Amino acid sequence: MKQMNVQQLNQLIPGTILLEGHASTLYTKAFASDLMSDVLRFQMEQTVLVTGLCTIQVLRTAEMSNITCIIFARGKRVSPDMLALAEEHHITLIESALTLFEISGRLYQGGLEPVYR
Amino acid sequence: MKFCYEITGGDFSAGGSASSQVKKTLKQFNIAPQVLRRIAVALYEAEMNVVAHAWRGSMCVNINVDHLSVVVEDEGPGIEDIDRAMEEGFSTATEEVRQMGFGAGMGLPNIRKNSDEMELTSTPGIGTRLTLTIRF
């Protein structure tokens, strides 16, 4: 199973790393969704969340699901209160102008796996 | 050890802060990360239900040696048909709730999946009471 750190996975996109949380975490999976209810349904350890939803509840969802890296798609801008919550919980935040589809495609091609098959 | 938190209906920016506090407290104990995630997800879903549907509510957690017991109570419109509310995909959430990434009718089924025991009672027009047990 392919493992990559934040720097390695960001090279596949590449986006802007706003905040680097746990630098040592290695990621093996990615999940793309704008629906937080669905994010909360699966095991999310070592998983990167790719989303076009940009609200404080995305950070809360990540915190509850043990997600430590979020990529915001379609040029969505992270607000200061989101940034503060991410800092508190050591969650890596990346912004990208690309679509959810293209980011997902690049991560898949780079070797990340889905959370289930 | 027992802790209680207030939940304000409609306050989406604060929604999740009670569950966050509980997760923080439980991190001090020797609980497996997967169990901690199950607890956090169940509490967060329950808290967001109060934020999304009720006027006000509270979350009380009791930390025991081998399990966590939780009571989430609210004053609100209540649930007309609990069996239907438990069905995946059934939701009465507003457009605002859906824009926050919720309201897909997955919350209650997901709470049941992540807890060992679950009891839901409601009086329409008065409020709803949810009790959960999650073993460590």
Side-chain angles (χ1 to χ4, degrees), chain A residues 34-38 40-45 53 55-58 60-66 81 88-89, chain B residues 12-13 15-17 19-20 23-24 33 37 40-41 44-45 48 99-104 106 110 113-114:
Chain A
D34 286 0
L35 184 63
M36 294 303 108
S37 306
D38 269 347
L40 291 164
R41 288 169 59 207
F42 305 106
Q43 288 204 14
M44 288 290 169
E45 279 78 11
L53 186 73
T55 69
I56 194 90
Q57 295 307 332
V58 177
R60 286 290 183 207
T61 299
E63 179 197 349
M64 302 305 160
S65 321
N66 299 340
D81 55 338
E88 189 187 334
H89 296 287
Chain B
F12 287 97
S13 57
S17 51
S19 310
S20 177
K23 191 178 185 191
K24 213 175 284 175
R37 176 172 46 76
V41 167
Y44 179 52
E45 292 274 23
M48 290 312 289
Q99 279 169 8
M100 297 297 293
F102 296 92
M106 300 309 301
N110 202 23
K113 194 181 103 186
N114 284 294

Side-chain angles (χ1 to χ4, degrees), chain A residues 40-41, chain B residues 34-46 49 61 66-72 86 106-120 129-136:
Chain A
L40 291 164
R41 288 169 59 207
Chain B
Q34 289 85 349
V35 177
L36 202 56
R37 176 172 46 76
R38 284 178 64 208
I39 293 169
V41 167
L43 292 185
Y44 179 52
E45 292 274 23
N49 275 347
V61 298
D66 60 349
H67 72 278
L68 183 77
S69 51
V70 185
V71 180
V72 181
M86 289 300 300
M106 300 309 301
L108 287 172
N110 202 23
I111 293 171
R112 180 169 53 192
K113 194 181 103 186
N114 284 294
S115 55
D116 294 299
E117 287 168 38
M118 171 183 177
E119 197 187 330
L120 182 63
R129 180 187 163 95
L130 173 74
T131 61
L132 302 175
T133 303
I134 301 168
R135 287 188 263 280
F136 298 144

Side-chain angles (χ1 to χ4, degrees), chain B residues 23-100:
Chain B
K23 191 178 185 191
K24 213 175 284 175
T25 303
L26 289 173
K27 268 186 183 166
Q28 299 162 25
F29 299 91
N30 191 22
I31 300 170
Q34 289 85 349
V35 177
L36 202 56
R37 176 172 46 76
R38 284 178 64 208
I39 293 169
V41 167
L43 292 185
Y44 179 52
E45 292 274 23
E47 184 175 355
M48 290 312 289
N49 275 347
V50 175
V51 173
H53 297 284
W55 303 309
R56 67 186 69 83
S58 65
M59 174 187 285
C60 289
V61 298
N62 202 342
I63 306 170
N64 301 286
V65 179
D66 60 349
H67 72 278
L68 183 77
S69 51
V70 185
V71 180
V72 181
E73 277 180 302
D74 72 52
E75 293 170 35
I79 302 169
E80 294 279 352
D81 185 340
I82 287 180
D83 288 340
R84 278 207 82 188
M86 289 300 300
E87 284 173 18
E88 284 193 5
F90 178 80
S91 178
T92 58
T94 60
E95 188 53 36
E96 188 191 10
V97 174
R98 292 171 202 267
Q99 279 169 8
M100 297 297 293

